[in-house]
Amino acid sequence: MEESCSTVETALEILVGKWKPVILYHLFTSGTMRFSELQRALPNITKKMLTSQLRELEYHDIVHRKIYMQIPPKVEYSITEYGLKMGPLLQAMNDWGTSHMQHLNELYGDDRKVQALEAIQD
Amino acid sequence: MEESCSTVETALEILVGKWKPVILYHLFTSGTMRFSELQRALPNITKKMLTSQLRELEYHDIVHRKIYMQIPPKVEYSITEYGLKMGPLLQAMNDWGTSHMQHLNELYGDDRKVQALEAIQD
DNA sequence: CAGAATCCGATAAGATACTG
DNA sequence: CAGTATCTTATCGGATTCTG
């Protein structure tokens, strides 16, 4: 009974964290990226946050971390094969989110949109 | 470009908050519920949290709030017609979450499951 | 380059008491 | 009954500094 909502929470668990959707977006569209590339793609994220978010995604087997044993260090991140299965879900969330923003605009006007864009800043 | 992930965040926005998925679950399955019924269904939530989560869902036009002008007060909550459109998304998240819990079990064993169940407690 | 470690402020969430 | 108000605690996220 309660399980049927705790599983929704499982899905949320791996998505929450202010930066995970953006990180996944970049990894899905760009394929393999180095740590520093991700930093450049997300100008406002700190190393600490980027590291922690990636580690959580790695724990969930969504993101793969490949370490090159060399100096200077080189680490590449990519979506795992299992992680690719999330694609449709992310797409569904994206689609719903898009139409919901439209719905909010119809209800309250476009002010909210401005706020949202200001809140992102990257 | 960045919009394609900010809309995912829009979807997350209305789902995050520790209790929203459970609240939606109950309203989806039980239809109309009074405030006190929701309290009984979610033994561990405080009135403050229940109120705030419901108000946010109301703002997003997912939940409808019907006030009966009488004493003692009576307020009924239900999913709006627009909110019903979230059903498939919630179902998709639920499905993915279910299979992901299974995946985590395969990766790390069933210890996690126990933790998750302990964490819910309702 | 890719982080780890520490500190600190902001926000979310819980406990408790009060009210029309 | 269905909240509100206030206070405290826990968690999250950001800034800064240090390192192999």
Side-chain angles (χ1 to χ4, degrees), chain A residues 88-104 112, chain B residues 4 6-16 24 28 56-57 59-63 80-93:
Chain A
L89 179 61
L90 290 172
Q91 188 62 51
M93 293 179 70
N94 183 51
D95 292 347
W96 185 87
T98 303
S99 70
H100 186 60
M101 283 188 68
Q102 174 60 26
H103 188 69
L104 288 177
R112 231 192 78 84
Chain B
S4 27
S6 76
T7 49
V8 172
E9 284 156 7
T10 299
L12 287 175
E13 188 182 318
I14 90 109
L15 267 332
V16 291
L24 288 176
F28 260 95
E56 287 176 35
L57 291 169
Y59 170 82
H60 283 278
D61 194 26
I62 308 293
V63 160
T80 63
E81 195 166 344
Y82 172 76
L84 289 175
K85 295 180 182 172
M86 280 201 75
L89 179 62
L90 290 173
Q91 187 63 51
M93 293 179 69

Side-chain angles (χ1 to χ4, degrees), chain A residues 32-98:
Chain A
T32 297
M33 292 178 84
R34 295 187 59 171
F35 188 85
S36 51
E37 289 183 283
L38 281 165
Q39 274 195 100
R40 271 189 293 280
L42 282 51
N44 291 334
I45 199 173
T46 62
K47 290 180 174 187
K48 176 192 171 188
M49 281 308 293
L50 184 53
T51 301
S52 71
Q53 305 285 282
L54 285 168
R55 290 294 150 82
E56 288 176 36
L57 291 169
E58 188 189 1
Y59 170 82
H60 283 278
D61 193 26
I62 308 293
V63 159
H64 179 242
R65 179 164 175 255
K66 182 173 183 181
I67 308 156
Y68 292 82
M69 287 300 280
Q70 62 181 49
I71 293 184
K74 175 177 170 183
V75 179
E76 283 180 348
Y77 292 91
S78 57
I79 305 289
T80 64
E81 194 165 345
Y82 172 76
L84 289 175
K85 295 179 182 173
M86 279 201 77
L89 179 61
L90 290 172
Q91 188 62 51
M93 293 179 70
N94 183 51
D95 292 347
W96 185 87
T98 303

Side-chain angles (χ1 to χ4, degrees), chain B residues 58-104:
Chain B
E58 189 189 2
Y59 170 82
H60 283 278
D61 194 26
I62 308 293
V63 160
H64 178 242
R65 179 164 174 254
K66 183 173 184 181
I67 309 156
Y68 293 81
M69 287 299 280
Q70 61 181 51
I71 292 183
K74 174 177 170 182
V75 179
E76 283 181 347
Y77 293 91
S78 57
I79 306 290
T80 63
E81 195 166 344
Y82 172 76
L84 289 175
K85 295 180 182 172
M86 280 201 75
L89 179 62
L90 290 173
Q91 187 63 51
M93 293 179 69
N94 183 51
D95 293 347
W96 186 87
T98 302
S99 71
H100 186 60
M101 283 188 68
Q102 174 60 27
H103 189 69
L104 287 178

